[in-house]
């Protein structure tokens, strides 16, 4: 892996947007979507994948894996130790997102914990034993809204986006998970664009079997495919978490509505004082203000709102952020 890019030009941004919306899109599909030649797409995209600027990955959908317990944590700790604590969290296999928030003394993390015992161990053993962790709040994610699974940073037209995102359609029947599926998801987490032949070799099976099982996993919403990168490369300079309290009867509709917004990366219904967690990406503070006043402000039955800026990202979609990103 080489040096991660410090900037992208307009063509590279558009290619990145397609791969974020559809990480396994063929080069032909990317070219057709953007009105470019396939040769241009390959020439411009391949270096971005090779140097780690674009990081195709995959994560299990906790709604489809009953043993997984999705949880959000807000951890308050000594500022002098916050990066070390965040790095330790990021090294855990069960953390999906790890961000440093607000004034530099708080960490937010989303975890998919492997059963009740893992949840108990985290809250009663691991966190209390971590030096310089002062306090924390834990929120169970009762529902992760799937519309946020496909995201393009708002850089694609509606027609382009809709043509690339079958995951937003109603899920098919959930297949019975086989050991091969678990191994396949682990391989995709390392590189979601790995070819069928390469995956088959690694898994000791045939390419046709890999294709069939992957089709079942994606059509059944068992797995979320993603392509991570430093959002600053897309012109996104402000990210924030919104902790929203709604009326119980409005939670489902508001969660779905916000999860479909092009500035929303993630939305989930939570336990706790706030019952909706939303991750927002905006060009700048003015863009965040506009989202809050026009989008959130126009929603009926929003009873309270807390906004926490994301200062630094350590891990996203199960992938640790490169040091120089």
């Amino acid at each position: 892996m080489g040096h991660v890019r410090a900037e992208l030009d307009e063509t590279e941004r558009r290619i990145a947007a397609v791969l974020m919306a559809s990480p396994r899109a063929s080069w032909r599909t990317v070219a057709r979507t953007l009105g470019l030649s396939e040769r241009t797409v390959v020439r411009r995209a391949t270096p971005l994948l090779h140097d780690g600027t674009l990081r195709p990955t995959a994560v299990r959908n906790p709604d489809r894996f009953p043993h997984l317990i999705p949880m959000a944590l807000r951890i308050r700790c000594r500022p002098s130790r916050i990066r070390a604590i965040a790095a330790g969290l990021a090294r855990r296999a069960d953390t999906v997102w790890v961000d440093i928030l607000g004034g530099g003394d708080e960490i937010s993390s989303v975890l998919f914990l492997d059963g009740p015992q893992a949840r108990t161990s985290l809250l009663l053993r691991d966190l209390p034993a971590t030096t310089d962790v002062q306090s924390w709040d834990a929120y169970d994610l009762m529902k992760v809204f799937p519309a946020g699974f496909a995201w393009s940073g708002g850089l694609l037209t509606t027609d382009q986006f809709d043509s690339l995102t079958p995951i937003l359609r109603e899920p098919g029947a959930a297949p019975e998970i086989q050991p091969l599926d678990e191994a396949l998801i682990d391989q995709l987490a390392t590189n979601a664009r790995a070819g069928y032949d390469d995956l088959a070799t690694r898994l000791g099976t045939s390419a046709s079997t890999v294709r069939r099982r992957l089709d079942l996993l994606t059509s059944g919403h068992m797995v979320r495919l993603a392509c991570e990168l430093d959002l600053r490369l897309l012109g996104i300079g402000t990210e924030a978490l919104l902790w929203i309290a709604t009326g119980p009867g409005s939670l489902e509709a508001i969660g779905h509505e916000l999860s479909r917004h092009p500035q929303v990366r993630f939305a989930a219904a939570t336990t706790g004082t706030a019952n909706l967690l939303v991750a927002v990406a905006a060009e700048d503070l003015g863009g965040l203000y506009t989202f809050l006043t026009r989008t959130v402000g126009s929603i009926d039955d929003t009873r309270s709102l807390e906004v926490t800026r994301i200062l630094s990202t350590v891990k996203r979609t199960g992938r640790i952020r490169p040091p120089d990103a």
Side-chain angles (χ1 to χ4, degrees), residues 71-79 81-82 85-86 89 99 101 104-109 122-124 126-139:
M71 174 188 290
L73 282 177
R74 295 180 68 174
I75 304 170
R76 287 164 291 278
C77 51
R78 295 187 186 280
R81 290 280 298 161
I82 195 165
I85 293 170
L89 273 171
D99 293 311
L101 301 180
D105 62 351
E106 186 176 3
I107 296 169
S108 174
S109 182
L122 173 67
L123 297 179
L124 299 185
D126 299 347
L127 286 175
T130 303
T131 303
D132 294 320
V133 166
Q134 297 172 325
S135 65
W136 61 88
D137 295 310
Y139 308 87

Side-chain angles (χ1 to χ4, degrees), residues 72-274:
L73 282 177
R74 295 180 68 174
I75 304 170
R76 287 164 291 278
C77 51
R78 295 187 186 280
S80 62
R81 290 280 298 161
I82 195 165
R83 290 193 176 276
I85 293 170
L89 273 171
R91 287 192 292 270
R92 291 178 60 112
D94 53 11
T95 53
V96 183
W97 284 34
V98 179
D99 293 311
I100 297 174
L101 301 180
D105 62 351
E106 186 176 3
I107 296 169
S108 174
S109 182
V110 172
L111 304 93
F112 292 169
L113 296 162
D114 191 10
Q117 184 57 49
R119 185 183 191 277
T120 300
S121 295
L122 173 67
L123 297 179
L124 299 185
R125 185 193 65 191
D126 299 347
L127 286 175
T130 303
T131 303
D132 294 320
V133 166
Q134 297 172 325
S135 65
W136 61 88
D137 295 310
Y139 308 87
D140 289 324
L141 303 184
M142 298 182 290
K143 177 174 183 174
V144 178
F145 293 99
F149 285 1
W151 189 74
S152 66
L155 297 179
L156 302 177
T157 67
T158 300
D159 288 344
Q160 289 173 332
F161 185 78
D162 289 347
S163 71
L164 292 165
T165 53
I167 195 169
L168 299 186
R169 302 167 192 160
E170 286 299 314
E176 183 177 346
I177 292 295
Q178 303 174 2
L180 175 64
D181 298 325
E182 295 282 5
L184 174 56
I185 294 171
D186 289 341
Q187 289 293 327
L188 293 170
T190 301
N191 179 12
R193 285 190 63 81
Y196 294 112
D197 289 336
D198 183 34
L199 290 168
T201 298
R202 292 173 181 271
L203 298 172
T205 187
S206 67
S208 61
T209 296
V210 170
R211 181 187 293 270
R212 184 174 67 256
R213 297 308 301 179
L214 181 52
D215 286 346
L216 287 171
L217 291 173
T218 54
S219 65
H221 290 197
M222 306 297 293
V223 64
R224 172 197 173 190
L225 302 180
C227 188
E228 285 298 325
L229 78 163
D230 183 348
L231 297 187
R232 292 172 296 183
L233 297 175
L234 303 180
I236 294 171
T238 299
E239 292 186 80
L241 297 179
L242 312 185
W243 304 84
I244 301 172
T246 75
S250 306
L251 177 57
E252 177 79 3
I254 293 174
H256 274 292
E257 179 181 350
L258 288 177
S259 74
R260 291 185 174 93
H261 194 282
Q263 287 180 265
V264 171
R265 294 204 71 192
F266 176 85
T270 77
T271 59
T273 305

Side-chain angles (χ1 to χ4, degrees), residues 238 263 280-293 295:
T238 299
Q263 287 180 265
V280 178
E283 181 178 2
D284 51 26
L285 282 173
L288 176 61
Y289 178 81
T290 298
F291 179 85
L292 295 175
T293 55
T295 301

